[in-house]
Amino acid sequence: MQLQIAPSILSADFLNLGRDIQILNKSADLIHLDVMDGVQVPNLSFGFSVTDAVSKVASIPMDAHLMICNPAKYADRFIDGGVSYLSFHLEAAGDGSAELLSHIRSRGVKAGLAINPDVPVSRLFPYIGKADFFLIMSVFAGFGGQKFIPESIDRIAMLRERLVSESDPALIEVDGGVGTSNIKELYQAGASMFVAGSAVFKGGDPAAAIQSLREAAL
Ligand code: DX5
Ligand code: ZN
């Protein structure tokens, strides 16, 4: 499976965001946009003003991760803003999840369903065949820089096994505490889209950090 590195701009330098996006254009596969509303998760991040600005300079696909209540209300606005991948939480969309996945797909965007670490992976199984990717949170959604939850590896393996048994090509994205020390195990367990905030931006050289992640995965 082709590995994709999706740096989260939550940890970027917002005073030099254009510069950071230009670096990612040359070194990353996706730009991960963490949208938080302070209700679905205990933190606020950014909304359309930032994602629209990023879209003007991004030359690689944007991957928006909605950590908001009522994601169905805002999905089209993110799609109009140019995202290529759009995920939302099962905890937020509940019974409306299948319909929202289908709507996102109908607009030509990759649809993703996300769960926090306390939601059983089996809750995703009914959506196999209806999503282009599944986002397994390996920390509780809300903040960058948290410690990776090791049980996430088994959760990914369980989901991958189920996808294989149903011959479904959906990808698995992992988000939270991903770095050079765990990326290989995560890749082997079946994830292929790797979100990384701190690991990419905190060392001061995002391009080199992305290269290190790629090398550590192999
Ligand atoms: C957490 C976000 C993550 C976060 C990852 O709610 O969804 O994308 O920015 O940051 P790190 O890699 O620092 O855990
Ligand atoms: Zn995220």
Side-chain angles (χ1 to χ4, degrees):
M1 234 174 314
Q2 200 199 327
L3 174 148
Q4 291 183 294
I5 305 288
S8 165
I9 64 157
L10 202 56
S11 301
D13 176 357
F14 276 71
L15 291 177
N16 292 287
L17 191 54
R19 178 204 64 192
D20 282 0
I21 299 298
Q22 298 290 3
I23 294 170
L24 300 186
N25 282 340
K26 289 195 221 109
S27 52
D29 301 292
L30 303 168
I31 296 173
H32 188 78
L33 304 167
D34 284 306
V35 179
M36 307 180 186
D37 67 359
V39 180
Q40 184 64 31
V41 290
N43 193 14
L44 288 162
S45 59
F46 51 78
F48 306 126
S49 53
V50 170
T51 58
D52 289 348
V54 170
S55 98
K56 293 200 180 100
V57 280
S59 61
I60 57 174
M62 297 191 295
D63 166 36
H65 172 198
L66 305 186
M67 288 162 274
I68 60 174
C69 298
N70 201 353
K73 184 174 173 186
Y74 299 99
D76 279 309
R77 178 63 180 80
F78 285 101
I79 294 169
D80 293 341
V83 306
S84 302
Y85 292 74
L86 184 60
S87 65
F88 60 90
H89 277 254
L90 177 62
E91 304 93 294
D95 290 345
S97 296
E99 195 183 335
L100 183 52
L101 288 168
S102 155
H103 178 70
I104 294 169
R105 283 178 140 183
S106 77
R107 296 220 42 204
V109 166
K110 302 283 186 203
L113 190 58
I115 53 169
N116 259 316
D118 60 350
V119 177
V121 168
S122 58
R123 293 270 315 275
L124 293 176
F125 294 171
Y127 300 95
I128 292 176
K130 297 177 175 157
D132 296 296
F133 66 105
F134 293 99
L135 196 177
I136 301 291
M137 289 303 302
S138 40
V139 300
F140 281 87
F143 299 91
Q146 302 181 73
K147 198 171 166 304
F148 177 77
I149 299 173
E151 288 76 16
S152 310
I153 295 168
D154 286 346
R155 286 162 59 76
I156 287 164
M158 205 183 299
L159 176 58
R160 173 54 59 203
E161 197 180 312
R162 185 76 179 213
L163 290 168
V164 168
S165 78
E166 298 199 22
S167 306
D168 189 273
L171 302 177
I172 300 178
E173 181 170 44
V174 57
D175 184 356
V178 173
T180 51
S181 64
N182 54 22
I183 191 166
K184 187 171 187 166
E185 251 187 309
L186 290 164
Y187 193 33
Q188 286 173 347
S192 65
M193 298 166 71
F194 300 94
V195 179
S198 312
V200 167
F201 290 103
K202 292 301 173 202
D205 186 345
I210 291 166
Q211 188 52 31
S212 302
L213 285 169
R214 292 191 199 282
E215 285 163 14
L218 302 174

